[in-house]
Amino acid sequence: MSGKRATRLTPDQRREQLVEIGREMLAGRSLDALSTDEVARRAGISRGLLFHYFDSKHDFYRAVVRAECDRLTAATEPDAALGPVEWLRAFIAGFVGYVLEHREVYRALVRGAAGSHPVVADIVGETRRTLAGRVCEGRRRLGLPDVPRLELASGAWMAFAEEAVANWPAADADAREEICAFVEAGFVGLLGLLDRPAALTPR
Amino acid sequence: MSGKRATRLTPDQRREQLVEIGREMLAGRSLDALSTDEVARRAGISRGLLFHYFDSKHDFYRAVVRAECDRLTAATEPDAALGPVEWLRAFIAGFVGYVLEHREVYRALVRGAAGSHPVVADIVGETRRTLAGRVCEGRRRLGLPDVPRLELASGAWMAFAEEAVANWPAADADAREEICAFVEAGFVGLLGLLDRPAALTPR
């Protein structure tokens, strides 16, 4: 636990350990502020040894972001055998659960990265496209007709969901069901009505 | 234009000039990557003189972000005399126009900053709250009833609108009307239905 005693790890285990430390340290800070010196220190190895496993600081950053994005992708993949409503609810529950459990990391990485870390933009972009693709699939499973701008609308609904989950009052840790219902209502309001877009009218 | 010739500016003009250069340079890069050396060079002054006008690099960053946020706030303030639908449409048109015209800066700053620049988080947060407050006001003007989670929902709708505008295909530079209609439909679907949230049903 103290990390002082040198532990014999296989190269794969060591790589995984370093990435895991990077993921933990990312909570509450940006990628730019992730110090490889500190990662090596926490692993009880030299900085030089860290760079035996990763070609560069950027290579390490990419491995950390890749690991995080893989988790998000896995958490939001529903069982293909589910019925359409249950399939989409499983997707929403997976997404909400992931963001609630990894709120800080998610902020630093998936949102913050979009604006500020060109070195991981491709990984984050690919993950967002995968998730937007699932949203489109969910719509198709529900029998909703294809419309122009569907991928764009799906990405925008994801941003809505991200913002809602990330800003839900922290006190409401038990509110998972309420959040899922809120995000689901947003899906219906945004993506369920795309084929008949509404305009404003005063009540 | 060449910036080589030293120009006599009043202290206020100089400050404004430096902030303006910072704003221009922010397009396509993060705040962390904004070099005060480069800003001073472009203004044709020494780095030391720049720090005569700003206490620190962070102080300069804050002035740049403040100027940008002030523009966004001004661009999204509708004429109070407008009717409810026109008021909200003016808000949406102001927001869409601002993001279209300042797409790169907006990304670097208002979105990227949320995750990665604690030094300006308060300014960005305050601006987001001002805008979310206007969304709530627009809803009230339309005669929609107050609901729980309204501020949260307003912020989430803003994230939806940001994402949609920022990712609208660049080729569609003339598509402003189409984008405004899309964002308006999102307002109706997300914020117009808050008092009767919908759940999924297969067609």
Side-chain angles (χ1 to χ4, degrees):
Chain A
M1 273 295 165
S2 80
K4 289 287 180 200
R5 196 154 62 84
T7 318
R8 276 211 180 277
L9 300 179
T10 67
D12 278 357
Q13 286 173 331
R14 179 66 80 189
R15 231 185 111 88
E16 201 176 310
Q17 177 209 29
L18 293 168
V19 166
E20 196 52 34
I21 292 171
R23 287 187 54 243
E24 281 165 19
M25 283 177 58
L26 208 56
R29 79 187 85 193
S30 72
L31 208 52
D32 280 332
L34 184 62
S35 150
T36 42
D37 284 357
E38 174 71 11
V39 171
R41 205 187 56 70
R42 290 197 190 188
I45 64 169
S46 70
R47 191 161 180 278
L49 188 54
L50 185 145
F51 286 114
H52 175 72
Y53 294 100
F54 300 94
D55 291 342
S56 64
K57 197 169 178 168
H58 283 174
D59 185 38
F60 177 69
Y61 286 173
R62 288 178 63 82
V64 170
V65 171
R66 171 71 67 193
E68 195 62 40
C69 285
D70 283 351
R71 291 208 182 193
L72 171 57
T73 306
T76 52
E77 182 166 16
D79 182 340
L82 289 171
V85 171
E86 277 56 46
W87 192 93
L88 198 61
R89 284 194 176 139
F91 172 80
I92 290 174
F95 180 76
V96 169
Y98 176 88
V99 179
L100 283 179
E101 279 153 33
H102 304 81
R103 206 186 276 241
E104 293 302 319
V105 175
Y106 187 83
R107 258 179 204 281
L109 204 127
V110 182
R111 299 210 65 186
S116 47
H117 298 288
V119 76
V120 299
D122 60 332
I123 303 174
V124 173
E126 182 197 308
T127 305
R128 293 185 79 88
R129 278 190 298 278
T130 300
L131 264 63
R134 287 196 185 141
V135 177
C136 295
E137 184 184 342
R139 252 187 115 263
R140 272 194 302 274
R141 283 173 174 256
L142 286 167
L144 291 164
D146 264 357
V147 289
R149 312 277 178 220
L150 180 53
E151 203 177 334
L152 187 114
S154 299
W157 173 76
M158 292 285 311
F160 159 81
E162 280 169 20
E163 186 80 9
V165 182
N167 291 327
W168 209 272
D172 286 11
D174 296 330
R176 195 175 292 220
E177 266 184 56
E178 190 190 350
I179 303 177
C180 286
F182 182 87
V183 171
E184 180 176 323
F187 180 96
V188 177
L190 275 180
L191 299 178
L193 303 176
L194 275 180
D195 53 326
R196 31 189 174 142
L200 286 168
T201 45
R203 278 210 179 170
Chain B
M1 272 296 163
S2 79
K4 289 286 178 202
R5 196 153 63 85
T7 319
R8 275 211 180 277
L9 300 179
T10 67
D12 277 357
Q13 286 173 330
R14 178 66 80 190
R15 230 184 113 87
E16 202 176 308
Q17 177 208 31
L18 294 168
V19 166
E20 196 53 34
I21 292 171
R23 287 185 56 241
E24 280 164 20
M25 284 177 56
L26 208 55
R29 77 187 85 192
S30 72
L31 208 51
D32 281 332
L34 184 62
S35 151
T36 41
D37 284 357
E38 174 71 10
V39 171
R41 204 187 57 71
R42 291 198 189 187
I45 63 169
S46 70
R47 191 161 181 277
L49 187 54
L50 186 145
F51 286 113
H52 175 72
Y53 295 100
F54 301 95
D55 291 343
S56 64
K57 195 169 179 169
H58 283 174
D59 185 37
F60 176 68
Y61 287 174
R62 288 178 64 81
V64 171
V65 171
R66 170 70 68 194
E68 195 62 40
C69 285
D70 282 353
R71 290 208 182 192
L72 172 57
T73 305
T76 53
E77 183 166 16
D79 182 340
L82 290 171
V85 171
E86 278 57 45
W87 191 93
L88 198 62
R89 284 195 176 139
F91 172 80
I92 289 174
F95 180 76
V96 168
Y98 176 88
V99 179
L100 282 179
E101 280 154 33
H102 304 80
R103 205 187 276 241
E104 292 303 317
V105 175
Y106 186 82
R107 257 178 204 281
L109 203 129
V110 182
R111 300 211 63 186
S116 46
H117 297 288
V119 76
V120 298
D122 60 332
I123 302 174
V124 174
E126 182 197 308
T127 306
R128 294 185 78 87
R129 276 190 299 278
T130 300
L131 266 62
R134 287 194 186 141
V135 177
C136 296
E137 184 185 343
R139 253 187 114 263
R140 270 194 305 273
R141 282 171 175 258
L142 286 166
L144 291 164
D146 265 356
V147 290
R149 312 277 178 220
L150 180 53
E151 204 178 332
L152 187 114
S154 299
W157 173 76
M158 293 285 310
F160 155 82
E162 280 168 21
E163 185 80 8
V165 182
N167 291 327
W168 208 273
D172 286 10
D174 297 331
R176 197 176 289 221
E177 267 185 57
E178 190 190 349
I179 303 177
C180 285
F182 183 87
V183 170
E184 180 175 323
F187 180 95
V188 177
L190 281 177
L191 299 178
L193 303 175
L194 276 179
D195 53 327
R196 31 187 176 144
L200 286 168
T201 45
R203 276 205 182 176

